[in-house]
Amino acid sequence: MRTKLIAGNWKMNGRKPMVRELIAGILSRLDVNQRSEVMVLPPFPYIPLVNSLLDATPVLLGAQDLSRHDSGAYTGEVAGGMLADVGCSHVLVGHSERRSLHGEDNALVAAKFNAAQAAGLQPVLCVGETLDERSAGRTDEVVSGQIAAVLEAAGVAAFGRAIVAYEPVWAIGTGQTASPEQAQSVHAMIRAQIAKEDATIAGRLRILYGGSVKPDNAADLFAREDIDGGLIGGASLTAEAFMGIYQAAG
Ligand code: PGA
């Protein structure tokens, strides 16, 4: 049985007062009877503060991006080793905003995936199709291509130390959620793709859904066989909404 994971991608939001309030709100709503895990993904500058606020709690800490390089003359970049050094255990790679706004292609995403693992971080590999791609009936082709690029570069064993997040681009921040059937169908396809190479790793792999998850639509999504939690953007910015989603995960 895969433990569900509720991960909050804060994106570029918040200042210190909000960070403190949000973490306090999350911690006060943690429930020992819930099996699900919680992760927060703050902007880089707040990682040390969040790490200290989370001290001795089960909440996981991740970053939103990393460099493909380990160190050197890469002004403005942040290495995976630095993220591990300041307390992160996870990092997003290939979020659709990185792919579309910062020109990250499958090859760069695969390099970042490998860089994360080399630094001892678990990558959360984000994949998903645009509205045009879905309308053209290309969803499976696009998503399986995004997965294949990483499988090729990292090998299937690497998926034993990774998480996948399916985030249809048309559902991110739009209020338009994929239906549980739409999401389940892509999640099952991803798991089958990994299972072709290693059924055990595929069976253990957590595949999160992201794209306008809210407290009132979360339970239906999380009830599906291959949906192992959520990557939450907008609704992760208030503890009430975020932890409402956690409650829905059981
Ligand atoms: P959203 O964002 O929940 O605001 O749609 C999800 C994400 O981009 O990770």
Side-chain angles (χ1 to χ4, degrees):
M1 187 55 189
R2 298 177 295 268
T3 306
K4 289 209 171 17
L5 172 65
I6 309 305
N9 173 14
W10 298 1
K11 309 195 179 185
M12 198 174 72
N13 291 295
R15 296 293 187 267
K16 274 191 268 183
M18 189 196 101
V19 170
R20 289 183 186 284
E21 193 185 321
L22 192 45
I23 296 298
I26 290 171
L27 295 178
S28 72
R29 290 171 173 83
L30 280 178
D31 179 348
V32 289
N33 297 314
Q34 298 276 118
R35 290 191 63 238
S36 308
E37 293 184 299
V38 176
M39 185 193 298
V40 289
L41 301 140
F44 291 136
Y46 301 118
I47 287 171
L49 171 61
V50 172
N51 189 42
S52 69
L53 295 171
L54 293 179
D55 188 33
T57 75
V59 177
L60 301 166
L61 177 58
Q64 298 171 18
D65 184 33
L66 82 165
S67 171
R68 67 181 294 176
H69 303 288
D70 183 47
S71 65
Y74 303 102
T75 302
E77 294 282 278
V78 175
M82 296 170 180
L83 298 172
D85 201 24
V86 294
C88 290
S89 56
H90 291 73
V91 62
L92 299 184
V93 297
H95 188 279
S96 76
E97 286 149 22
R98 301 296 317 172
R99 291 180 191 260
S100 68
L101 303 173
H102 300 274
E104 296 196 8
D105 60 11
N106 280 342
L108 178 57
V109 172
K112 289 187 172 195
F113 183 100
N114 280 334
Q117 291 199 329
L121 299 168
Q122 276 215 29
V124 180
L125 170 64
C126 304
V127 296
E129 81 289 359
T130 63
L131 187 55
D132 282 354
E133 290 163 342
R134 176 165 282 269
S135 306
R138 295 184 52 226
T139 298
D140 287 6
E141 171 201 331
V142 169
V143 173
S144 64
Q146 291 168 336
I147 298 282
V150 176
L151 263 178
E152 210 167 285
V156 71
F159 281 79
R161 292 172 286 125
I163 295 168
V164 170
Y166 168 57
E167 298 203 299
V169 178
W170 48 271
I172 296 178
T174 58
Q176 202 188 334
T177 318
S179 69
E181 293 74 25
Q182 285 173 322
Q184 166 58 27
S185 146
V186 178
H187 284 229
M189 182 211 63
I190 294 170
R191 200 178 304 286
Q193 185 178 1
I194 306 289
K196 262 196 241 156
E197 309 229 3
D198 190 314
T200 306
I201 287 175
R204 290 185 186 145
L205 178 69
R206 288 196 281 190
I207 307 176
L208 313 182
Y209 168 78
S212 298
V213 179
K214 302 279 180 306
D216 60 0
N217 60 26
D220 278 352
L221 286 159
F222 299 160
R224 301 297 158 136
E225 187 181 343
D226 291 296
I227 303 183
D228 304 311
L231 181 56
I232 319 300
S236 74
L237 298 177
T238 66
E240 195 182 356
F242 184 56
M243 295 307 272
I245 295 168
Y246 161 78
Q247 288 289 341

